[in-house]
Amino acid sequence: MNSDAMTIGDEVRAWLADHWDAESRRAKAGGSLAQWMDRVVEAGWAVPSWPTQWWGRGLDKKSVSTIVNEFRKVGAPGAGQDRTNITANSVMQFGSDTLKRKIIPEFLTGRAHQCLLYSEPGAGSDLAAVRTRADLQGDHYVVTGQKVWTSGAQNADYGLLIARTDWDVPKHEGLSFFIIEMRQPGIEIRPINQITGDSHFNEVFLDGATVPAENRVGDEGQGWKVMQTALAVERLVMGDGAGERRQGSSKNNVVSLIDIAREAGKIDDPVARQDIAQAMAYRQLNALNMLRAKQDMAQGTASPIMSLGKLAMSRILHEDARVMTKLLGAASMLDGAEHERAADINYRTANAYMTSIGGGTDQIQRNIIGERVLGLPRETEADRNLPFRESRAVTG
Amino acid sequence: MTMISPEERAAMREGFGRLLAEKCAEADIRRVMATQSGNDPALWTAMADMGITALMVSDDHGGIGAGMVEIEEIMEEAGAALLAGPLLSSAFVAASLIGLSHDADAKARLLPAIASGEKIATVAFTGDSGSWDVAGVTATAQPQDNQWILNGAASFVLSANLANVLLVFAQTPGGLGCFEVDSAHVQIEPLQSWDPSLRLSKIMFDQTQAVHIAGVDHATFEQTLDVARVALAGEQAGACRRIFDITVDYLKTRVQFGRPIGGFQAIKHIAADLLIEVESATSAARAAARALDTDAPDKDVLINLAAFACADAFSQVAATAIQMHGGIAFTWEHPAHLYLRRARADAQLFGQSDTYRERFVAAMEKAA
């Protein structure tokens, strides 16, 4: 294929036409998903912006968008992970060449699964206060501590771990970032029962677990910076998800607000209709914002709107639940299989906190928007410059 | 649909923004507000020279033939600068109404002069109720010896004090109609408005001779109001962003308790929430403009969404801006109240948020 004479769009379309059956949404040559992903990685579509010696094609952001869009059109997975794959991006940016060769292919092909070992009981919104320790002993670190709110821990092959390697410097400076194997003695996983009745999350207890020194991502003490990069990728994926979800489920949601009002005999109630309008408007406005952000990004301009998505989403979810509860009225006191509508609304009410607390509370999001988007002065932190050993997180 | 390229659109917007920065600064707004006419003739001429007044008029009548996407963006700039005068009422709303009519004679007679800015027109939509619907039209028109006679009144007419041509909706024996009236032949009573940059009038008709505009009916009434609403949504989005930017600048410089007030979470969190409103207003206004240009299936959803989201956002941001500025914004000299005045006026002009929310739900029900 002569890529000089073709645009990247032509090339990716031709490649997809040769290798992917859009009708059945399967690879033409058959095989497993992992085998399909091997082909995507080999062709350079998985991470097109990366250099050619590292699975990429050295392309610009606009070309990546083109490639992602073409894959999306035919429902093929695997493209554009240079924007979305948290592990691969962190390792690519900060890891040693040995680690890159060892870890990245496993993640680009989806053979390995990760979980995020960030939060701790004493380090939620103040993530730099982590107390899980990693001590270097010869060619490996020994890890001891407790992590919490870890989703997917049972199925994870690796954990992205932030741990303290130095207690004598300020809290942001003594952290290191690791990729730790989850299936080893010294790691115990216990599910957390949530207010919804679900158990999506886990506590992870680390007691003498080990991680090879070569699995450290970035230098010792650089963990905070590496994690910020990983979090930025994650936020992008989540914000994107807020827009994406709308395409599929907003329609359901729109129908259900109107349906619930009909069922409850309140579809003609002018006050109820005002509430319904406002709830539906929040959702639509967020979708329109995300659409605008994507158009900006497709043209290579960074969009600050993207960082609003998560905060907007939590408003949407709480507002939906509030309006649904009002529409249902007294019946919302009931629950269980016989009261399906009430059970659904009660679940939504409790589950909305997943978004407004999880992944950074609404209040932390507002700080981030205020500081990074609007350029307002930073939040003052009493312990920012204290050696961690002397900070309240340790001394209580 | 417009024939203007995105590059031309961006250049036009930038040029207009520069003109307003030069000729429509805060001191200019205050000067114009204090005049009898509420208009700056030199700025009007400059806008006409730039082609801004010709945007809505098709090229076969001496205009540029732009779409709502361009009008909306221009209105964002106008709103940011709190531009006073007849741009919206004449060049956009009146020109749109005549363009939508089937009256070749009226088009040939009026559109070139509106496009060039020589003539100023306005549309009288509603009576004393200010309800911006057909039921609110209380002026009546009767045919009499080959012409039409108007009686009754129209109120809340935008920039009528400046208009040469009044386009008046009236009830006729055969339903809603639209009539051209020479402003010299009627009594125009200026209404004192809380926003001095906005001129509203009541027009009294007493056996007034009028010329019928052919092909304007109930549907045209709604279509013209849709254009007006989307243009206004653009004004609201632009104004809302400007007063927000002014406020954020202040949060960075105003020091209390030994640090800039923008460093306090109580203030920072309000700012973050307002940013969502500002961005949502912009997205909504632009989406509505695009939907109107392309006659999209979800046009009614998006126009009504923009109408209430932009009105509510501007009202909220302008009101909160005063609170965030503190005492300084309670003075006449500070610009914050000028934005609040415009926000409160815009929230009533062409209809109310509650009405749009109701129409939005109805449109969604239809789509569901």
Side-chain angles (χ1 to χ4, degrees):
Chain A
M1 222 171 280
N2 178 3
S3 52
D4 289 347
M6 303 174 87
T7 66
I8 195 70
D10 293 335
E11 192 184 341
V12 68
R13 270 190 296 277
W15 188 90
L16 283 166
D18 285 347
H19 294 86
W20 183 258
D21 182 357
E23 283 286 305
S24 67
R25 304 210 153 193
R26 273 169 214 269
K28 279 191 170 162
S32 67
L33 179 64
Q35 284 166 323
W36 162 254
M37 298 294 268
D38 283 338
R39 264 169 248 152
V40 175
V41 173
E42 274 163 34
W45 305 127
V47 283
S49 66
W50 291 7
T52 45
Q53 71 268 33
W54 296 110
W55 308 282
R57 284 168 160 249
L59 295 172
D60 60 13
K61 279 186 185 170
K62 206 169 173 178
S63 303
V64 177
S65 289
T66 306
I67 293 163
V68 170
N69 284 336
E70 293 300 333
F71 267 68
R72 196 172 283 163
K73 272 187 215 160
V74 298
Q81 296 188 56
D82 35 6
R83 298 203 296 211
T84 57
N85 192 315
I86 300 169
T87 315
N89 279 287
S90 310
V91 175
M92 183 61 198
Q93 200 170 336
F94 298 100
S96 67
D97 285 0
T98 320
L99 187 63
K100 282 182 203 167
R101 271 188 288 273
K102 183 167 111 181
I103 294 280
I104 290 177
E106 282 196 77
F107 278 95
L108 290 186
T109 58
R111 283 185 173 83
H113 298 281
Q114 41 83 359
C115 62
L116 307 178
L117 300 172
Y118 298 162
S119 290
E120 295 183 8
S125 292
D126 183 8
L127 209 44
V130 299
R131 297 173 66 180
T132 292
R133 61 189 310 144
D135 300 313
L136 187 61
Q137 291 180 9
D139 62 354
H140 65 272
Y141 287 84
V142 177
V143 184
T144 299
Q146 184 191 344
K147 294 288 176 179
V148 74
W149 304 118
T150 310
S151 51
Q154 298 95 335
N155 302 317
D157 304 288
Y158 294 96
L160 308 192
L161 169 74
I162 186 95
R164 190 162 303 279
T165 44
D166 189 345
W167 296 66
D168 296 314
V169 292
K171 62 180 182 177
H172 291 87
E173 293 165 27
L175 301 168
S176 299
F177 195 91
F178 302 92
I179 299 204
I180 187 170
E181 281 192 41
M182 290 298 287
R183 303 183 207 285
Q184 60 165 304
I187 294 187
E188 190 197 336
I189 297 161
R190 284 187 214 155
I192 296 171
N193 301 319
Q194 298 159 216
I195 58 175
T196 52
D198 296 333
S199 312
H200 289 307
F201 301 105
N202 303 280
E203 292 178 291
V204 177
F205 295 87
L206 302 123
D207 184 10
T210 62
V211 55
E214 68 178 29
N215 277 26
R216 197 187 60 231
V217 185
D219 293 336
E220 229 185 57
Q222 290 291 302
W224 183 254
K225 192 172 140 199
V226 179
M227 189 177 64
Q228 289 309 310
T229 308
L231 285 173
V233 175
E234 192 186 344
R235 265 186 223 114
L236 191 69
V237 176
M238 283 177 81
D240 208 28
E244 284 297 304
R245 269 195 294 281
R246 188 241 160 201
Q247 314 290 335
S249 72
S250 98
K251 185 106 190 175
N252 294 337
N253 200 289
V254 165
V255 173
S256 73
L257 273 177
I258 289 172
D259 282 353
I260 292 167
R262 279 185 186 137
E263 279 171 30
K266 290 183 183 164
I267 191 65
D268 296 322
D269 175 343
V271 177
R273 292 175 71 84
Q274 292 285 310
D275 274 340
I276 294 168
Q278 197 58 56
M280 293 196 306
Y282 284 155
R283 195 170 280 276
Q284 283 242 328
L285 291 170
N286 187 48
L288 293 173
N289 276 342
M290 290 303 140
L291 209 65
R292 230 177 93 220
K294 277 190 183 173
Q295 282 160 356
D296 287 350
M297 291 200 304
Q299 296 180 350
T301 347
S303 178
I305 312 171
M306 212 71 205
S307 56
L308 304 179
K310 186 173 175 294
L311 189 55
M313 202 63 207
S314 75
R315 174 168 83 168
I316 290 165
L317 297 173
H318 281 288
E319 182 68 3
D320 275 355
R322 187 187 72 83
V323 173
M324 286 178 185
T325 304
K326 263 179 91 173
L327 291 173
L328 202 61
S332 68
M333 290 188 283
L334 308 176
D335 204 34
E338 278 178 42
H339 310 287
E340 203 184 330
R341 186 65 83 194
D344 174 53
I345 291 170
N346 295 336
Y347 179 85
R348 286 168 183 266
T349 301
N351 199 48
Y353 291 95
M354 171 95 94
T355 302
S356 61
I357 296 176
T361 62
D362 282 359
Q363 287 64 37
I364 292 290
Q365 294 301 321
R366 289 186 176 100
N367 283 353
I368 292 173
I369 293 164
E371 290 165 16
R372 299 199 196 148
V373 180
L374 300 176
L376 295 174
R378 287 184 55 94
E379 208 44 47
T380 52
E381 286 175 73
D383 57 358
R384 189 168 183 90
N385 298 313
L386 282 183
F388 188 70
R389 203 181 284 287
E390 292 166 25
S391 73
R392 284 261 177 88
V394 177
T395 63
Chain B
M1 268 301 264
T2 176
M3 302 299 284
I4 295 176
S5 73
E7 290 76 23
E8 288 173 300
R9 192 168 89 217
M12 194 173 64
R13 180 178 182 155
E14 203 197 311
F16 185 53
R18 261 201 316 272
L19 175 70
L20 292 179
E22 225 172 85
K23 300 262 163 59
C24 190
E26 188 188 332
D28 301 302
I29 303 166
R30 289 177 183 273
R31 178 173 50 77
V32 172
M33 261 169 30
T35 62
Q36 178 96 41
S37 70
N39 184 40
D40 181 343
L43 179 56
W44 182 252
T45 307
M47 288 194 291
D49 289 346
M50 204 177 240
I52 301 295
T53 53
L55 282 173
M56 194 76 198
V57 175
S58 62
D59 54 1
D60 51 347
H61 289 105
I64 291 175
M68 278 317 288
V69 167
E70 286 77 24
I71 305 292
E72 188 278 334
E73 285 203 8
I74 287 300
M75 286 302 290
E76 282 186 33
E77 293 292 334
L82 292 180
L83 174 70
L87 182 66
L88 175 62
S89 56
S90 181
F92 297 161
V93 180
S96 155
L97 172 58
I98 299 166
L100 287 166
S101 78
H102 302 136
D103 196 323
D105 182 50
K107 288 182 192 187
R109 198 155 31 82
L110 299 175
L111 287 178
I114 291 177
S116 69
E118 285 160 52
K119 263 196 179 155
I120 292 173
T122 191
V123 181
F125 288 101
T126 189
D128 286 330
S129 71
S131 61
W132 313 97
D133 54 17
V134 174
V137 177
T138 50
T140 58
Q142 292 287 338
Q144 198 181 83
D145 312 330
N146 280 343
Q147 59 177 1
W148 288 80
I149 301 297
L150 290 189
N151 279 294
S155 197
F156 305 104
V157 186
L158 204 51
S159 298
N161 62 315
L162 294 162
N164 318 103
V165 178
L166 307 171
L167 301 167
V168 181
F169 280 100
Q171 308 287 0
T172 79
L176 192 71
C178 184
F179 301 86
E180 178 191 341
V181 177
D182 187 326
S183 61
H185 299 160
V186 285
Q187 192 193 337
I188 298 177
E189 182 188 310
L191 300 169
Q192 189 178 346
S193 51
W194 192 62
D195 175 5
S197 72
L198 199 75
R199 295 303 155 100
L200 298 168
S201 301
K202 181 169 177 173
I203 307 173
M204 262 72 73
F205 308 103
D206 180 12
Q207 296 294 104
T208 308
Q209 288 185 17
V211 177
H212 181 246
I213 306 278
V216 176
D217 56 11
H218 187 172
T220 326
F221 177 88
E222 287 298 336
Q223 284 171 311
T224 308
L225 274 172
D226 279 349
V227 168
R229 285 164 181 146
V230 173
L232 188 70
E235 168 168 306
Q236 290 164 327
C240 167
R241 184 176 296 278
R242 177 66 58 83
I243 184 59
F244 180 70
D245 288 346
I246 291 172
T247 305
V248 170
D249 280 346
Y250 184 71
L251 300 180
K252 293 176 187 173
T253 51
R254 169 69 168 168
V255 172
Q256 292 281 267
F257 304 103
R259 54 178 167 137
I261 58 172
F264 291 100
Q265 287 200 1
I267 301 292
K268 198 180 286 179
H269 288 195
I270 297 173
D273 286 337
L274 291 185
L275 179 63
I276 296 185
E277 299 301 332
V278 173
E279 295 295 353
S280 299
T282 307
S283 297
R286 291 182 188 172
R290 236 178 1 255
L292 198 50
D293 272 345
T294 56
D295 198 21
D298 56 354
K299 185 179 72 176
D300 286 341
V301 169
L302 290 170
I303 291 171
N304 287 296
L305 175 67
F308 73 82
C310 295
D312 294 354
F314 186 19
S315 298
Q316 188 190 343
V317 174
T320 313
I322 295 186
Q323 181 68 25
M324 291 172 96
H325 275 89
I328 185 74
F330 196 65
T331 67
W332 187 268
E333 287 69 26
H334 195 276
H337 73 106
L338 303 179
Y339 285 87
L340 180 69
R341 283 168 203 276
R342 184 66 71 86
R344 291 187 71 238
D346 281 357
Q348 303 300 326
L349 195 57
F350 308 135
Q352 284 186 321
S353 285
D354 286 358
T355 313
Y356 297 133
R357 267 190 291 271
E358 170 51 41
R359 291 167 54 135
F360 169 72
V361 176
M364 295 286 261
E365 274 183 289
K366 222 183 257 177

